[in-house]
């Protein structure tokens, strides 16, 4: 079953019985604007998580520099374990962000193509 990406936009305007060129263009633009907004929100979310993890790691590294001479072996092992896990999370977030940036334009183009080929809009957009 394929997702009807136009349904929420048609519902907002009362699901009109007749389509016009202006309405088709408005629906296309609204749908693409919504996708763009969601893609930007996702990029910002991933970026925010990346920055938070990086800041926490930096804080922990600064703490270690100040306290390394008085740390027990167990505390040092906990620090090394924390750094390893944090670096893993940072790496994963960086990969996700890069992949998102790589795929976002492709998603936009794919949706634009689907909209142009949608039976409800095609005759008004091509």
């Amino acid at each position: 079953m394929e997702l009807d990406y136009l349904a929420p936009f048609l519902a907002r305007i009362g699901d009109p019985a007749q389509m016009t060129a202006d309405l088709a263009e408005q629906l296309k633009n609204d749908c693409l604007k919504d996708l763009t907004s969601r893609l930007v929100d996702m990029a910002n979310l991933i970026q925010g998580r990346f920055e938070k993890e990086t800041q926490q790691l930096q804080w922990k590294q600064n703490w270690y520099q100040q306290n390394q001479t008085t740390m027990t072996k167990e505390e040092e092992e906990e620090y090394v374990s924390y750094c390893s896990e944090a670096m893993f999370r940072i790496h994963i977030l960086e990969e996700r962000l890069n992949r998102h940036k790589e795929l976002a334009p492709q998603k936009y183009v794919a949706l634009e193509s689907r909209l142009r080929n949608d039976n409800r809009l095609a005759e008004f957009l091509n």
Side-chain angles (χ1 to χ4, degrees):
M1 184 173 122
E2 192 169 317
L3 179 68
D4 184 2
Y5 36 83
L6 282 177
F9 301 97
L10 287 167
R12 280 186 210 152
I13 57 173
D15 205 12
Q18 290 231 292
M19 185 62 64
T20 66
D22 288 341
L23 188 55
E25 190 67 30
Q26 176 191 344
L27 286 167
K28 179 190 86 151
N29 291 338
D30 288 350
C31 197
L32 290 172
K33 189 184 325 175
D34 183 68
L35 174 66
T36 300
S37 176
R38 286 185 288 117
L39 291 172
V40 168
D41 288 348
M42 180 58 76
N44 289 339
L45 179 68
I46 298 168
Q47 182 69 41
R49 289 178 180 166
F50 174 84
E51 289 171 2
K52 181 180 177 185
E53 283 289 341
T54 303
Q55 288 172 348
Q56 288 175 339
L57 178 60
Q58 183 65 46
W59 182 88
K60 192 72 162 179
Q61 288 172 333
N62 290 339
W63 174 85
Y64 176 78
Q65 291 298 319
Q66 294 171 357
N67 297 295
Q68 70 184 31
T69 57
T70 60
M71 291 175 68
T72 66
K73 185 74 172 164
E74 185 178 297
E75 289 172 328
E76 198 165 324
E77 287 172 1
E78 286 175 15
Y79 167 75
V80 169
S81 176
Y82 172 83
C83 287
S84 176
E85 291 170 12
M87 291 300 293
F88 176 75
R89 288 189 301 269
I90 289 168
H91 174 72
I92 294 298
L93 289 167
E94 187 176 31
E95 293 277 323
R96 284 182 184 166
L97 186 58
N98 288 337
R99 180 142 172 85
H100 180 75
K101 287 178 179 178
E102 178 184 313
L103 292 178
Q106 295 171 19
K107 289 178 180 181
Y108 186 92
V109 168
L111 179 58
E112 188 173 37
S113 175
R114 276 185 250 137
L115 292 170
R116 289 197 177 284
N117 294 315
D118 187 284
N119 292 337
R120 298 163 288 186
L121 306 180
E123 72 178 281
F124 301 103
L125 297 178
N126 295 324

